[in-house]
Amino acid sequence: MDLNPPRGTRDFFPDEMRLRTWLFDHFRAVARQFGFEEYDAPVLESQELFVRKAGEEITGQLYNFEDKGGRAVALRPEMTPSLARMILKKGGSLALPAKWFSLPQCWRYERMTRGRKREHYQWNLDIFGVPGVAAEAELLAAITTFFRRVGLGAADIGIKVSSRKVLQGVLDSVGVPDESFAAVAVLVDKLEKVPRDAIAGDMAALGLDESQVDRIIEALSLRDLDGLEALLGADSPALVELRELFALAASYGFADWLVFDASVVRGLAYYTGVVFEAFDRGATLRAVCGGGRYDRLLSTFGGKDIPACGFGFGDVVILELLKDTGRLPELIPDLDYLVFPLRPEMRGPAIEVATKLRARGQSVDLVLEDKKTKWAFKQAERSGARELVFVGPDEWEAGRVKVKNLASGEQFELSLKEL
Amino acid sequence: MDLNPPRGTRDFFPDEMRLRTWLFDHFRAVARQFGFEEYDAPVLESQELFVRKAGEEITGQLYNFEDKGGRAVALRPEMTPSLARMILKKGGSLALPAKWFSLPQCWRYERMTRGRKREHYQWNLDIFGVPGVAAEAELLAAITTFFRRVGLGAADIGIKVSSRKVLQGVLDSVGVPDESFAAVAVLVDKLEKVPRDAIAGDMAALGLDESQVDRIIEALSLRDLDGLEALLGADSPALVELRELFALAASYGFADWLVFDASVVRGLAYYTGVVFEAFDRGATLRAVCGGGRYDRLLSTFGGKDIPACGFGFGDVVILELLKDTGRLPELIPDLDYLVFPLRPEMRGPAIEVATKLRARGQSVDLVLEDKKTKWAFKQAERSGARELVFVGPDEWEAGRVKVKNLASGEQFELSLKEL
């Protein structure tokens, strides 16, 4: 019997769970500070929800199967399609703007590398109903607020920003037809990662010739907005929205985190506007989080479009990064009291003491077997107990218990009333 | 495109998520009060982990499939096998006793009835390393503490208690061989729910004849410990441990919740000692939670046994019950501030105000579009904001903002320092 969880997945023993809880608490706290409401959807969805036609990796990496009722289902590889489904289900009764967040576990069957497993938890923030880049700015403010909370600054993390409208402008200028846009975007995203030869066939199938690809690659090498202005013009939609986004970032106070980078396209087909991804300035890891605007996603599911943007922020890469930079907190078990019956016949009284302390909201462990005092001390240390309460026959008869503070070593007797 | 989640699964819109969070917070708070540490495991496990030979329903209801690497995997139908795997993995480095809890989502492909879906979340508390019923008493104390926190008392909820040793004693007395015990236990559990005719063949296959079944059913109709004593004797292991459990319950103060009921067997093959299930005394729903002792589970996975007991407590039935009894809390959205730029050029200042309030830990929403004041009031109401902050050009020039308390209607100006 293999004692490991399936390849690419994780167990969370109490030590690791404390860390996950610490991380999730930060995720949730930031979401609440920014006025987002939490939602969730089943980890298992209809497969059709995830299958798009743009040749994304994600559809080839589905954990999909037929259930006992013959339905094609899949573990979600990302949260956005489930979110879109829920928004559409809500229909006209949804008050806009809607700011929603979630912390789903997502599954992809893929080759594993550092910081990439077959499951991860992903903090998702999305805003529906706001067409302007004020929404993207709000998302980026939440991201940078999170980084600061866990001790990371603009010197550690950068956020590459571009817009699908940059690519749109470039594709227009080299004569790529509009209907190929989403598929070309996915392909262009791959250009950054794999040699051009490897996807030459796919490019040809989408009608891109060598010289078009050259011109696209050249445009995507741009790293400053002035260069972009020279290429597309100051009034181009891409430039207008990026300039506005940088101005808003200055008001929020996170402008120093942002880097314009025309090569950022993001691999998902559905983005339509601003796209961004946070990266470790030490550049040893893959993207820490990423997102953007997806104004036309709902119509791909047969619904009415609502302007929307959002991001996904995985738990694996950030924990690697915090570990590498020595910023993981030391989280030890903690407990208010360990209650120890000094003799078997003191079990009932010890239960009464523990029950009383618990009723006051204290965290209390109780020694459930007949053990020696030495063992109780060891157990108190292991569980991080603040105080060890001895319930012995003589003190109990006098209505008292003996308490030892384990940090100070101080020892005293308390009446049951004082407890 | 079907906008519903897969049949038998749930979306959690923000309203429903607030309720889930409320419930989970109570689950977690009680677990911490009792000194349990949280853990988690992947929702997807190797199928072999869940397949036992005792003819349990659970193995016929697996969401199982082959992954892209040809491995037989399944969504967990319960948490205990994953927990057992983790405990075995920890091996000798595990300090005993270990008190662990989790809140996993579990999946069963089954016919749906009220309070039974194809997925549910299940609060699990388990204690490893304690052989005596003091451990079961601690578990039952946690359960009753939870019920009291959410407003349910011993008049609403009963907890049926028995022991597999009762069944063991009865089977011994009618001559059923030991090796059939687990399978017979599963079958006997079904006797309570389906007509005997329907499982007559299974009973015959296990070597039970009509008269044996009659005597088992008669014994399982016992509802008082004195009757059990008459049948099995005062020194029988079943009686000794049940008497002790009731005495401990009295010390904890939850004896009035307990009901001895010999018919409680629980449908899972692995139980070896005390078994229990909580039920709605109104008797309209199925079991609210259930558990027991499973001292020999680890050896079925090829490991060394450790005494253990635990329970699972689903989220669906308890929410139905709280709803039926009018005890669901009213949970409305809440927000500290909604910040509203009175004019488009006030967007930057409004961002500064929101950022300042958020840095103080407040939950703050920000109006991201150009909207009328009337809309801002409506939005503040919808989001449950305590105060609405107006950022207007005149006040801003004087270094001030206007604040309206939405409960009192009071309106005042504050300097940025006072904010």
Side-chain angles (χ1 to χ4, degrees):
Chain A
M1 164 98 206
D2 187 357
L3 297 181
N4 295 302
R7 207 169 135 72
T9 73
R10 292 169 293 171
D11 286 331
F12 291 87
F13 286 91
D15 286 351
E16 293 139 4
M17 194 68 193
R18 275 196 295 279
L19 190 60
R20 183 175 118 186
T21 300
W22 170 84
L23 181 70
F24 284 17
D25 283 352
H26 279 298
F27 282 150
R28 287 203 164 92
V30 172
R32 297 219 172 99
Q33 267 174 42
F34 280 77
F36 285 76
E37 296 186 282
E38 192 166 0
Y39 71 98
D40 198 9
V43 65
L44 192 73
E45 289 268 17
S46 288
Q47 184 181 313
E48 61 166 341
L49 193 63
F50 303 117
V51 176
R52 290 180 295 265
K53 297 184 186 90
E56 294 160 83
E57 271 184 340
I58 206 170
T59 59
Q61 295 170 340
L62 282 182
Y63 270 93
N64 57 334
F65 63 102
E66 234 180 55
D67 74 12
K68 291 196 199 305
R71 297 174 195 86
V73 292
L75 298 181
R76 64 180 161 224
E78 53 159 342
M79 195 62 172
T80 311
S82 297
L83 172 62
R85 181 179 62 64
M86 288 175 69
I87 294 285
L88 285 173
K89 196 175 168 198
K90 205 79 170 157
S93 72
L94 180 71
L96 295 176
K99 295 169 84 174
W100 286 14
F101 86 96
S102 61
L103 260 170
Q105 190 177 27
C106 299
W107 294 78
R108 295 192 194 183
Y109 195 87
E110 60 184 337
R111 203 171 58 86
M112 283 170 294
T113 55
R114 181 153 189 248
R116 184 171 274 224
K117 300 187 184 294
R118 286 181 178 157
E119 54 76 20
H120 71 162
Y121 286 88
Q122 196 183 68
W123 185 40
N124 279 256
L125 261 65
D126 292 89
I127 302 178
F128 276 79
V130 179
V133 294
E136 285 92 326
E138 182 85 341
L139 295 177
L140 291 166
I143 290 171
T144 54
T145 298
F146 167 81
F147 281 130
R148 286 198 185 103
R149 281 178 75 107
V150 297
L152 294 166
D156 307 300
I157 300 279
I159 303 179
K160 295 180 189 171
V161 178
S162 185
S163 171
R164 282 279 170 102
K165 289 173 190 166
V166 171
L167 183 64
Q168 183 73 63
V170 172
L171 295 186
D172 283 351
S173 74
V174 303
V176 174
D178 270 4
E179 59 272 24
S180 312
F181 178 72
V184 172
V186 170
L187 219 52
V188 165
D189 183 62
K190 288 181 191 161
L191 274 175
E192 289 285 301
K193 294 163 196 166
V194 300
R196 194 207 291 197
D197 292 354
I199 51 173
D202 292 337
M203 294 192 292
L206 287 169
L208 295 177
D209 65 31
E210 287 286 309
S211 90
Q212 286 174 314
V213 174
D214 284 341
R215 286 163 69 194
I216 292 168
I217 291 179
E218 199 193 326
L220 296 189
S221 69
L222 283 169
R223 295 291 180 272
D224 65 298
L225 288 179
D226 293 340
L228 187 67
E229 184 171 328
L231 184 72
L232 299 179
D235 298 335
S236 67
L239 208 75
V240 169
E241 72 181 17
L242 287 170
R243 293 263 192 228
E244 189 186 344
L245 181 62
F246 277 78
L248 291 168
S251 294
Y252 277 104
F254 65 81
D256 51 337
W257 296 67
L258 299 192
V259 183
F260 167 67
D261 183 334
S263 75
V264 172
V265 173
R266 304 291 299 158
L268 294 169
Y270 51 65
Y271 290 117
T272 54
V274 168
V275 281
F276 55 84
E277 56 191 44
F279 64 100
D280 165 21
R281 293 206 199 248
T284 57
L285 295 160
R286 49 196 292 270
V288 184
C289 69
R293 177 162 290 277
Y294 54 95
D295 284 348
R296 291 191 294 274
L297 180 62
L298 297 188
S299 59
T300 68
F301 295 127
K304 192 170 163 287
D305 279 323
I306 300 174
C309 58
F311 69 82
F313 191 129
D315 68 331
V316 177
V317 176
I318 183 69
L319 287 177
E320 291 277 357
L321 180 58
L322 290 170
K323 194 177 165 193
D324 288 355
T325 56
R327 287 185 176 92
L328 277 190
E330 215 188 312
L331 302 166
I332 50 171
D334 72 318
L335 188 72
D336 295 320
Y337 295 96
L338 177 64
V339 177
F340 174 50
L342 280 164
R343 300 217 191 136
E345 66 272 23
M346 288 292 105
R347 180 155 312 287
I351 287 173
E352 288 177 46
V353 169
T355 301
K356 192 171 173 184
L357 291 168
R358 284 166 176 164
R360 279 186 13 222
Q362 305 290 320
S363 63
V364 182
D365 198 6
L366 176 65
V367 178
L368 297 172
E369 298 165 275
D370 300 332
K371 294 285 188 184
K372 303 239 185 279
T373 303
K374 197 175 151 187
W375 185 92
F377 273 107
K378 205 170 148 191
Q379 175 67 8
E381 196 189 322
R382 205 155 43 200
S383 58
R386 273 195 306 112
E387 298 192 323
L388 180 54
V389 181
F390 300 91
V391 184
D394 298 341
E395 294 89 350
W396 187 253
E397 204 162 321
R400 302 173 80 78
V401 293
K402 201 152 65 184
V403 179
K404 182 164 179 121
N405 184 300
L406 292 157
S408 67
E410 199 191 349
Q411 194 165 309
F412 44 94
E413 279 194 12
L414 287 180
S415 72
L416 293 186
K417 268 194 186 158
E418 294 164 323
L419 199 66
Chain B
M1 165 100 206
D2 187 356
L3 298 181
N4 295 303
R7 205 168 137 71
T9 73
R10 292 168 294 171
D11 287 330
F12 291 87
F13 286 90
D15 286 350
E16 292 140 4
M17 194 68 193
R18 273 196 296 280
L19 190 60
R20 183 175 119 185
T21 300
W22 170 85
L23 182 69
F24 284 17
D25 284 352
H26 278 298
F27 282 150
R28 287 203 164 92
V30 172
R32 297 217 172 99
Q33 268 174 42
F34 280 76
F36 285 76
E37 296 188 283
E38 191 167 0
Y39 71 97
D40 198 10
V43 66
L44 192 73
E45 289 269 17
S46 289
Q47 183 182 314
E48 60 166 342
L49 194 63
F50 303 116
V51 176
R52 289 181 295 264
K53 296 183 186 91
E56 294 161 83
E57 270 185 341
I58 206 169
T59 59
Q61 295 170 340
L62 281 181
Y63 270 93
N64 57 333
F65 63 103
E66 234 180 56
D67 75 11
K68 291 193 199 306
R71 296 174 196 87
V73 291
L75 298 182
R76 64 178 161 227
E78 54 159 341
M79 195 62 171
T80 310
S82 298
L83 172 62
R85 181 180 61 66
M86 289 176 68
I87 293 286
L88 285 174
K89 197 176 169 197
K90 205 78 170 158
S93 72
L94 180 71
L96 295 177
K99 295 170 84 175
W100 285 15
F101 87 95
S102 62
L103 260 170
Q105 191 176 27
C106 299
W107 293 78
R108 294 192 194 182
Y109 195 87
E110 61 184 337
R111 202 172 58 85
M112 283 170 295
T113 54
R114 182 153 190 249
R116 185 170 273 224
K117 301 188 184 293
R118 287 182 177 156
E119 53 77 20
H120 71 162
Y121 285 89
Q122 196 183 69
W123 185 41
N124 279 256
L125 260 66
D126 292 89
I127 302 178
F128 276 79
V130 179
V133 294
E136 285 93 325
E138 182 86 342
L139 295 176
L140 291 166
I143 290 172
T144 54
T145 298
F146 167 82
F147 281 130
R148 288 199 184 101
R149 281 179 74 107
V150 299
L152 294 166
D156 307 300
I157 301 279
I159 304 180
K160 294 179 190 171
V161 178
S162 185
S163 171
R164 281 279 170 103
K165 290 172 189 167
V166 171
L167 183 63
Q168 182 73 62
V170 172
L171 294 186
D172 284 351
S173 74
V174 303
V176 174
D178 270 6
E179 60 271 24
S180 313
F181 178 71
V184 172
V186 170
L187 220 51
V188 165
D189 183 62
K190 287 181 192 160
L191 275 175
E192 289 285 299
K193 295 162 193 163
V194 299
R196 194 207 292 196
D197 292 355
I199 50 173
D202 293 337
M203 293 191 294
L206 288 169
L208 295 178
D209 65 29
E210 286 287 307
S211 91
Q212 285 174 314
V213 173
D214 284 341
R215 286 164 67 194
I216 294 169
I217 290 179
E218 199 193 326
L220 297 188
S221 70
L222 284 169
R223 296 291 179 273
D224 65 296
L225 288 179
D226 294 340
L228 186 66
E229 186 171 325
L231 184 71
L232 299 180
D235 297 335
S236 67
L239 208 74
V240 170
E241 74 180 16
L242 287 170
R243 293 263 192 227
E244 188 186 346
L245 181 62
F246 277 78
L248 291 168
S251 293
Y252 278 104
F254 64 81
D256 52 335
W257 296 67
L258 299 192
V259 183
F260 167 66
D261 184 335
S263 75
V264 172
V265 173
R266 302 293 299 158
L268 295 169
Y270 51 65
Y271 290 118
T272 55
V274 168
V275 282
F276 56 83
E277 56 191 43
F279 65 99
D280 166 21
R281 293 205 198 247
T284 57
L285 296 160
R286 50 195 291 267
V288 184
C289 69
R293 177 162 291 276
Y294 54 95
D295 283 348
R296 291 191 294 274
L297 181 62
L298 298 188
S299 59
T300 68
F301 296 125
K304 191 168 164 288
D305 279 323
I306 300 174
C309 58
F311 70 81
F313 191 131
D315 67 331
V316 176
V317 176
I318 183 67
L319 287 177
E320 292 277 356
L321 180 58
L322 290 170
K323 193 176 166 193
D324 288 353
T325 55
R327 287 184 176 93
L328 277 189
E330 215 188 311
L331 303 166
I332 50 171
D334 71 317
L335 188 73
D336 295 320
Y337 295 95
L338 177 64
V339 177
F340 174 51
L342 281 164
R343 299 215 192 138
E345 66 272 22
M346 287 294 103
R347 180 156 310 287
I351 286 172
E352 288 178 46
V353 169
T355 301
K356 192 169 172 185
L357 291 168
R358 285 167 176 164
R360 277 187 15 221
Q362 305 289 321
S363 63
V364 182
D365 197 7
L366 176 65
V367 177
L368 298 172
E369 299 166 273
D370 300 332
K371 293 286 188 184
K372 302 239 185 280
T373 303
K374 197 176 150 186
W375 184 93
F377 272 107
K378 205 170 147 191
Q379 175 67 8
E381 197 189 322
R382 205 156 41 201
S383 57
R386 273 197 306 114
E387 297 192 325
L388 180 54
V389 181
F390 300 91
V391 185
D394 298 341
E395 294 89 350
W396 187 253
E397 204 163 318
R400 302 173 81 77
V401 294
K402 201 154 63 185
V403 179
K404 183 164 179 119
N405 184 300
L406 291 158
S408 67
E410 198 191 350
Q411 194 164 309
F412 44 92
E413 279 195 12
L414 288 180
S415 74
L416 293 186
K417 270 196 185 157
E418 295 164 320
L419 199 65

